[in-house]
Amino acid sequence: MPYNTRMDLNKKLTPEQYKVTQQCGTEAPFSGKYYDHSEVGDYICVCCDQVLFSSKTKFDSGTGWPSFSDIKKIESVKLIDENSYGYIRVEVRCKKCDAHLGHVFDDGPTNTGKRYCINSASLDFIES
Ligand SMILES: [Zn+2]
């Protein structure tokens, strides 16, 4: 997959996007372009363009990161248990290109019970 070489990504991504997706970084809260974004459409992986989230499941969690109650297609991501900072978190990665997206928590406000807390830097947006 030629788009997925580190060198190509270096050219395609901003330094912030590279740090978040390739080095498991976290953008500062309230700094990203999508936490306060309510257009209708799909959020895609900034690295490989795979569709990840729909604006229909986006909600304002007050955390300063884009938050979703569900994945558009659950098979498009992989979830990894991460034991760090003394507690267990579940990391969310793009299944296609392995980009780090964010984390998922079990305190979501809708019937899914999930809160996908995702970095704006991991996402791009397609209006529909
Ligand atoms: Zn991807």
Side-chain angles (χ1 to χ4, degrees):
M1 288 186 282
Y3 61 81
N4 196 21
T5 66
R6 297 253 155 172
M7 212 191 253
D8 285 350
L9 283 176
N10 230 336
K11 277 186 240 156
K12 177 178 163 131
L13 303 180
T14 67
E16 171 83 353
Q17 289 168 334
Y18 190 89
K19 197 176 119 209
V20 169
T21 60
Q22 306 305 304
Q23 298 165 341
C24 287
T26 301
E27 71 197 13
F30 303 102
S31 74
K33 56 182 170 177
Y34 295 130
Y35 80 88
D36 185 21
H37 180 263
S38 53
E39 306 297 313
V40 174
D42 286 324
Y43 293 86
I44 63 175
C45 174
V46 74
C47 300
C48 74
D49 299 344
Q50 176 179 223
V51 173
L52 299 169
F53 299 98
S54 161
S55 60
K56 288 183 207 141
T57 59
K58 190 172 188 292
F59 66 97
D60 181 7
S61 63
T63 59
W65 289 284
S67 301
F68 302 88
S69 58
D70 210 354
I71 301 274
K72 185 148 187 188
K73 276 190 287 177
I74 194 66
E75 63 269 24
S76 61
V77 301
K78 61 180 170 189
L79 305 178
I80 302 165
D81 286 339
E82 183 184 85
N83 193 347
S84 61
Y85 307 108
Y87 61 101
I88 304 223
R89 294 192 300 181
V90 180
E91 185 193 356
V92 185
R93 280 181 180 258
C94 174
K95 199 168 200 172
K96 194 165 158 191
C97 77
D98 213 35
H100 172 77
L101 305 173
H103 293 89
V104 57
F105 302 93
D106 288 324
D107 58 4
T110 72
N111 59 358
T112 65
K114 299 291 183 192
R115 172 170 60 92
Y116 290 87
C117 183
I118 305 299
N119 291 283
S120 297
S122 301
L123 300 173
D124 223 331
F125 183 74
I126 309 176
E127 230 176 287
S128 63

